[in-house]
Short mmCIF file of all heavy atoms in Angstrom, two decimals:
data_model
loop_
_atom_site.label_atom_id
_atom_site.label_comp_id
_atom_site.label_asym_id
_atom_site.label_seq_id
_atom_site.Cartn_x
_atom_site.Cartn_y
_atom_site.Cartn_z
N LYS L 1 -28.48 -65.14 -49.60
CA LYS L 1 -27.07 -65.00 -49.95
C LYS L 1 -26.19 -65.73 -48.95
O LYS L 1 -25.21 -66.39 -49.31
CB LYS L 1 -26.67 -63.53 -50.03
CG LYS L 1 -25.34 -63.29 -50.76
CD LYS L 1 -25.16 -61.84 -51.12
CE LYS L 1 -24.00 -61.64 -52.06
NZ LYS L 1 -22.75 -62.32 -51.67
N ALA L 2 -26.56 -65.65 -47.67
CA ALA L 2 -25.79 -66.36 -46.65
C ALA L 2 -25.85 -67.87 -46.87
O ALA L 2 -24.84 -68.57 -46.74
CB ALA L 2 -26.32 -66.00 -45.27
N LEU L 3 -27.02 -68.38 -47.22
CA LEU L 3 -27.20 -69.82 -47.40
C LEU L 3 -26.40 -70.38 -48.58
O LEU L 3 -26.00 -71.54 -48.56
CB LEU L 3 -28.68 -70.16 -47.58
CG LEU L 3 -29.56 -70.12 -46.33
CD1 LEU L 3 -31.02 -70.31 -46.70
CD2 LEU L 3 -29.13 -71.19 -45.33
N VAL L 4 -26.19 -69.57 -49.62
CA VAL L 4 -25.57 -70.11 -50.85
C VAL L 4 -24.14 -69.65 -51.07
O VAL L 4 -23.50 -70.10 -52.03
CB VAL L 4 -26.41 -69.74 -52.10
CG1 VAL L 4 -27.83 -70.24 -51.95
CG2 VAL L 4 -26.38 -68.25 -52.38
N ASP L 5 -23.63 -68.76 -50.22
CA ASP L 5 -22.28 -68.23 -50.46
C ASP L 5 -21.22 -69.32 -50.52
O ASP L 5 -20.20 -69.16 -51.20
CB ASP L 5 -21.91 -67.20 -49.39
CG ASP L 5 -22.19 -65.77 -49.85
OD1 ASP L 5 -22.55 -65.61 -51.03
OD2 ASP L 5 -22.06 -64.84 -49.04
N GLY L 6 -21.42 -70.43 -49.83
CA GLY L 6 -20.42 -71.49 -49.84
C GLY L 6 -20.32 -72.23 -51.15
O GLY L 6 -19.22 -72.57 -51.61
N HIS L 7 -21.48 -72.47 -51.83
CA HIS L 7 -21.44 -73.25 -53.08
C HIS L 7 -21.93 -72.46 -54.29
O HIS L 7 -21.67 -72.86 -55.42
CB HIS L 7 -22.28 -74.52 -52.93
CG HIS L 7 -23.68 -74.29 -52.44
ND1 HIS L 7 -24.65 -73.64 -53.18
CD2 HIS L 7 -24.28 -74.63 -51.28
CE1 HIS L 7 -25.78 -73.60 -52.51
NE2 HIS L 7 -25.59 -74.19 -51.34
N ARG L 8 -22.67 -71.38 -54.08
CA ARG L 8 -23.17 -70.49 -55.15
C ARG L 8 -24.10 -71.21 -56.13
O ARG L 8 -24.31 -70.76 -57.25
CB ARG L 8 -22.01 -69.83 -55.91
CG ARG L 8 -21.13 -68.98 -55.03
CD ARG L 8 -19.95 -68.38 -55.77
NE ARG L 8 -20.34 -67.27 -56.62
CZ ARG L 8 -20.31 -67.27 -57.93
NH1 ARG L 8 -19.93 -68.36 -58.59
NH2 ARG L 8 -20.67 -66.22 -58.63
N ASN L 9 -24.67 -72.33 -55.71
CA ASN L 9 -25.61 -73.05 -56.58
C ASN L 9 -27.02 -72.51 -56.35
O ASN L 9 -27.87 -73.15 -55.72
CB ASN L 9 -25.55 -74.56 -56.30
CG ASN L 9 -24.22 -75.15 -56.71
OD1 ASN L 9 -23.57 -74.67 -57.64
ND2 ASN L 9 -23.79 -76.18 -56.00
N LEU L 10 -27.23 -71.31 -56.84
CA LEU L 10 -28.50 -70.62 -56.65
C LEU L 10 -29.15 -70.38 -58.00
O LEU L 10 -28.54 -69.80 -58.91
CB LEU L 10 -28.27 -69.27 -55.95
CG LEU L 10 -29.49 -68.34 -55.85
CD1 LEU L 10 -30.57 -68.96 -54.95
CD2 LEU L 10 -29.07 -66.96 -55.33
N CYS L 11 -30.39 -70.83 -58.13
CA CYS L 11 -31.19 -70.55 -59.32
C CYS L 11 -32.37 -69.69 -58.89
O CYS L 11 -33.14 -70.08 -58.01
CB CYS L 11 -31.68 -71.85 -59.97
SG CYS L 11 -32.97 -71.61 -61.21
N VAL L 12 -32.51 -68.51 -59.49
CA VAL L 12 -33.66 -67.66 -59.19
C VAL L 12 -34.48 -67.47 -60.46
O VAL L 12 -33.94 -67.33 -61.56
CB VAL L 12 -33.23 -66.29 -58.62
CG1 VAL L 12 -32.39 -66.48 -57.37
CG2 VAL L 12 -32.49 -65.45 -59.64
N VAL L 13 -35.79 -67.50 -60.28
CA VAL L 13 -36.71 -67.33 -61.40
C VAL L 13 -37.61 -66.15 -61.09
O VAL L 13 -38.17 -66.05 -59.99
CB VAL L 13 -37.57 -68.60 -61.60
CG1 VAL L 13 -38.50 -68.43 -62.80
CG2 VAL L 13 -36.70 -69.83 -61.78
N GLY L 14 -37.74 -65.25 -62.03
CA GLY L 14 -38.58 -64.08 -61.78
C GLY L 14 -38.66 -63.18 -62.99
O GLY L 14 -38.09 -63.48 -64.05
N ASP L 15 -39.36 -62.08 -62.82
CA ASP L 15 -39.56 -61.13 -63.92
C ASP L 15 -39.55 -59.73 -63.34
O ASP L 15 -40.47 -59.35 -62.60
CB ASP L 15 -40.90 -61.42 -64.62
CG ASP L 15 -41.16 -60.49 -65.80
OD1 ASP L 15 -40.24 -59.76 -66.20
OD2 ASP L 15 -42.29 -60.51 -66.32
N ASP L 16 -38.52 -58.96 -63.65
CA ASP L 16 -38.45 -57.60 -63.15
C ASP L 16 -39.63 -56.75 -63.64
O ASP L 16 -40.03 -55.79 -62.98
CB ASP L 16 -37.13 -56.94 -63.56
CG ASP L 16 -36.83 -57.08 -65.04
OD1 ASP L 16 -36.71 -58.23 -65.52
OD2 ASP L 16 -36.73 -56.06 -65.74
N ASP L 17 -40.22 -57.12 -64.79
CA ASP L 17 -41.37 -56.37 -65.29
C ASP L 17 -42.62 -56.60 -64.46
O ASP L 17 -43.64 -55.92 -64.66
CB ASP L 17 -41.67 -56.76 -66.75
CG ASP L 17 -40.60 -56.25 -67.71
OD1 ASP L 17 -39.94 -55.25 -67.38
OD2 ASP L 17 -40.41 -56.86 -68.78
N GLN L 18 -42.58 -57.55 -63.53
CA GLN L 18 -43.74 -57.81 -62.66
C GLN L 18 -43.41 -57.54 -61.19
O GLN L 18 -44.06 -58.09 -60.30
CB GLN L 18 -44.23 -59.25 -62.84
CG GLN L 18 -44.75 -59.54 -64.24
CD GLN L 18 -45.34 -60.93 -64.36
OE1 GLN L 18 -46.43 -61.21 -63.89
NE2 GLN L 18 -44.59 -61.82 -65.01
N SER L 19 -42.43 -56.70 -60.95
CA SER L 19 -42.08 -56.33 -59.57
C SER L 19 -43.01 -55.19 -59.14
O SER L 19 -42.81 -54.04 -59.54
CB SER L 19 -40.62 -55.90 -59.49
OG SER L 19 -40.29 -55.51 -58.18
N ILE L 20 -44.03 -55.50 -58.33
CA ILE L 20 -45.07 -54.52 -58.01
C ILE L 20 -45.29 -54.35 -56.50
O ILE L 20 -46.28 -53.76 -56.09
CB ILE L 20 -46.40 -54.90 -58.67
CG1 ILE L 20 -46.89 -56.27 -58.19
CG2 ILE L 20 -46.28 -54.87 -60.19
CD1 ILE L 20 -48.29 -56.65 -58.68
N TYR L 21 -44.37 -54.88 -55.70
CA TYR L 21 -44.59 -54.84 -54.26
C TYR L 21 -43.55 -54.00 -53.53
O TYR L 21 -43.22 -54.27 -52.37
CB TYR L 21 -44.59 -56.26 -53.68
CG TYR L 21 -45.73 -57.11 -54.18
CD1 TYR L 21 -45.51 -58.29 -54.87
CD2 TYR L 21 -47.05 -56.72 -53.96
CE1 TYR L 21 -46.56 -59.06 -55.33
CE2 TYR L 21 -48.11 -57.47 -54.42
CZ TYR L 21 -47.87 -58.65 -55.10
OH TYR L 21 -48.91 -59.40 -55.56
N GLY L 22 -43.08 -52.94 -54.17
CA GLY L 22 -42.13 -52.05 -53.51
C GLY L 22 -42.67 -51.45 -52.23
O GLY L 22 -41.94 -51.21 -51.27
N TRP L 23 -43.98 -51.23 -52.18
CA TRP L 23 -44.62 -50.63 -51.00
C TRP L 23 -44.54 -51.53 -49.79
O TRP L 23 -44.73 -51.07 -48.66
CB TRP L 23 -46.08 -50.30 -51.32
CG TRP L 23 -46.86 -51.45 -51.89
CD1 TRP L 23 -46.90 -51.83 -53.20
CD2 TRP L 23 -47.67 -52.38 -51.18
NE1 TRP L 23 -47.70 -52.94 -53.35
CE2 TRP L 23 -48.19 -53.30 -52.13
CE3 TRP L 23 -48.03 -52.53 -49.84
CZ2 TRP L 23 -49.04 -54.34 -51.77
CZ3 TRP L 23 -48.87 -53.57 -49.49
CH2 TRP L 23 -49.36 -54.47 -50.45
N ARG L 24 -44.28 -52.83 -49.97
CA ARG L 24 -44.14 -53.68 -48.79
C ARG L 24 -42.71 -54.24 -48.67
O ARG L 24 -42.48 -55.25 -48.02
CB ARG L 24 -45.17 -54.81 -48.80
CG ARG L 24 -45.01 -55.87 -49.85
CD ARG L 24 -46.17 -56.87 -49.71
NE ARG L 24 -45.97 -58.05 -50.55
CZ ARG L 24 -46.94 -58.91 -50.85
NH1 ARG L 24 -48.17 -58.70 -50.39
NH2 ARG L 24 -46.70 -59.96 -51.60
N GLY L 25 -41.77 -53.56 -49.28
CA GLY L 25 -40.36 -53.87 -49.05
C GLY L 25 -39.63 -54.59 -50.17
O GLY L 25 -38.41 -54.72 -50.12
N ALA L 26 -40.35 -55.08 -51.19
CA ALA L 26 -39.68 -55.77 -52.29
C ALA L 26 -38.75 -54.80 -53.02
O ALA L 26 -39.11 -53.65 -53.25
CB ALA L 26 -40.71 -56.35 -53.26
N ASP L 27 -37.58 -55.28 -53.37
CA ASP L 27 -36.57 -54.42 -54.01
C ASP L 27 -36.22 -54.99 -55.37
O ASP L 27 -35.54 -56.02 -55.48
CB ASP L 27 -35.33 -54.34 -53.12
CG ASP L 27 -34.35 -53.28 -53.60
OD1 ASP L 27 -34.51 -52.79 -54.73
OD2 ASP L 27 -33.41 -52.96 -52.84
N VAL L 28 -36.67 -54.31 -56.43
CA VAL L 28 -36.42 -54.79 -57.79
C VAL L 28 -34.93 -54.83 -58.12
O VAL L 28 -34.50 -55.54 -59.04
CB VAL L 28 -37.19 -53.91 -58.81
CG1 VAL L 28 -36.59 -52.51 -58.89
CG2 VAL L 28 -37.25 -54.57 -60.18
N GLU L 29 -34.11 -54.09 -57.34
CA GLU L 29 -32.66 -54.08 -57.58
C GLU L 29 -32.06 -55.48 -57.45
O GLU L 29 -31.05 -55.79 -58.09
CB GLU L 29 -31.97 -53.13 -56.59
CG GLU L 29 -32.37 -51.67 -56.73
CD GLU L 29 -31.94 -51.09 -58.07
OE1 GLU L 29 -30.80 -51.33 -58.48
OE2 GLU L 29 -32.78 -50.43 -58.72
N HIS L 30 -32.66 -56.33 -56.65
CA HIS L 30 -32.09 -57.67 -56.46
C HIS L 30 -32.07 -58.46 -57.76
O HIS L 30 -31.10 -59.18 -58.04
CB HIS L 30 -32.89 -58.44 -55.39
CG HIS L 30 -32.82 -57.82 -54.05
ND1 HIS L 30 -33.85 -57.91 -53.13
CD2 HIS L 30 -31.86 -57.08 -53.44
CE1 HIS L 30 -33.51 -57.26 -52.03
NE2 HIS L 30 -32.32 -56.74 -52.20
N ILE L 31 -33.13 -58.34 -58.56
CA ILE L 31 -33.15 -59.07 -59.83
C ILE L 31 -32.44 -58.29 -60.93
O ILE L 31 -31.80 -58.87 -61.81
CB ILE L 31 -34.60 -59.43 -60.25
CG1 ILE L 31 -34.59 -60.47 -61.38
CG2 ILE L 31 -35.41 -58.20 -60.61
CD1 ILE L 31 -35.96 -61.09 -61.64
N LEU L 32 -32.49 -56.96 -60.85
CA LEU L 32 -31.81 -56.16 -61.87
C LEU L 32 -30.29 -56.33 -61.79
O LEU L 32 -29.60 -56.30 -62.81
CB LEU L 32 -32.18 -54.68 -61.72
CG LEU L 32 -33.63 -54.30 -62.04
CD1 LEU L 32 -33.87 -52.81 -61.79
CD2 LEU L 32 -33.96 -54.63 -63.50
N HIS L 33 -29.76 -56.51 -60.57
CA HIS L 33 -28.31 -56.58 -60.39
C HIS L 33 -27.86 -57.95 -59.90
O HIS L 33 -26.86 -58.07 -59.19
CB HIS L 33 -27.86 -55.48 -59.42
CG HIS L 33 -28.18 -54.10 -59.90
ND1 HIS L 33 -27.64 -53.56 -61.04
CD2 HIS L 33 -29.03 -53.15 -59.41
CE1 HIS L 33 -28.11 -52.34 -61.23
NE2 HIS L 33 -28.97 -52.07 -60.25
N PHE L 34 -28.59 -58.97 -60.29
CA PHE L 34 -28.25 -60.33 -59.86
C PHE L 34 -26.82 -60.70 -60.26
O PHE L 34 -26.07 -61.30 -59.48
CB PHE L 34 -29.24 -61.32 -60.48
CG PHE L 34 -29.01 -62.75 -60.06
CD1 PHE L 34 -29.48 -63.22 -58.84
CD2 PHE L 34 -28.31 -63.64 -60.88
CE1 PHE L 34 -29.27 -64.53 -58.45
CE2 PHE L 34 -28.09 -64.95 -60.50
CZ PHE L 34 -28.58 -65.39 -59.28
N ALA L 35 -26.44 -60.34 -61.47
CA ALA L 35 -25.11 -60.72 -61.97
C ALA L 35 -23.99 -60.06 -61.17
O ALA L 35 -22.89 -60.63 -61.05
CB ALA L 35 -24.98 -60.37 -63.45
N SER L 36 -24.23 -58.87 -60.62
CA SER L 36 -23.19 -58.23 -59.81
C SER L 36 -23.17 -58.81 -58.40
O SER L 36 -22.11 -58.87 -57.76
CB SER L 36 -23.41 -56.71 -59.75
OG SER L 36 -24.65 -56.40 -59.16
N HIS L 37 -24.31 -59.26 -57.91
CA HIS L 37 -24.35 -59.92 -56.60
C HIS L 37 -23.73 -61.32 -56.67
O HIS L 37 -23.15 -61.80 -55.69
CB HIS L 37 -25.79 -60.04 -56.10
CG HIS L 37 -26.47 -58.73 -55.88
ND1 HIS L 37 -27.81 -58.53 -56.08
CD2 HIS L 37 -25.98 -57.52 -55.49
CE1 HIS L 37 -28.12 -57.27 -55.82
NE2 HIS L 37 -27.03 -56.64 -55.46
N PHE L 38 -23.87 -61.97 -57.83
CA PHE L 38 -23.35 -63.32 -58.02
C PHE L 38 -22.56 -63.37 -59.32
O PHE L 38 -23.08 -63.78 -60.37
CB PHE L 38 -24.50 -64.34 -58.04
CG PHE L 38 -25.33 -64.35 -56.79
CD1 PHE L 38 -26.49 -63.60 -56.69
CD2 PHE L 38 -24.92 -65.09 -55.68
CE1 PHE L 38 -27.24 -63.58 -55.53
CE2 PHE L 38 -25.67 -65.09 -54.51
CZ PHE L 38 -26.83 -64.33 -54.44
N PRO L 39 -21.31 -62.90 -59.29
CA PRO L 39 -20.49 -62.82 -60.50
C PRO L 39 -20.42 -64.16 -61.23
O PRO L 39 -20.36 -65.23 -60.62
CB PRO L 39 -19.11 -62.41 -59.96
CG PRO L 39 -19.41 -61.70 -58.68
CD PRO L 39 -20.58 -62.42 -58.09
N GLY L 40 -20.42 -64.07 -62.55
CA GLY L 40 -20.36 -65.27 -63.37
C GLY L 40 -21.70 -65.92 -63.58
O GLY L 40 -21.78 -67.04 -64.13
N ALA L 41 -22.78 -65.25 -63.16
CA ALA L 41 -24.12 -65.84 -63.28
C ALA L 41 -24.51 -66.01 -64.74
O ALA L 41 -24.22 -65.17 -65.59
CB ALA L 41 -25.14 -64.96 -62.57
N LYS L 42 -25.18 -67.10 -65.01
CA LYS L 42 -25.76 -67.34 -66.33
C LYS L 42 -27.17 -66.75 -66.35
O LYS L 42 -27.90 -66.86 -65.38
CB LYS L 42 -25.82 -68.84 -66.63
CG LYS L 42 -26.29 -69.19 -68.04
CD LYS L 42 -26.24 -70.69 -68.27
CE LYS L 42 -26.62 -71.04 -69.71
NZ LYS L 42 -25.68 -70.49 -70.69
#
């Protein structure tokens, strides 16, 4: 987020249905709430 806040040209690819690493710190909320973290996201 720090790296892209200036231009917001961020493309992320993923699948919330395959988020299986919560035990090592992965947070599915990042992909579930991408649009709220980056308003106007397509």
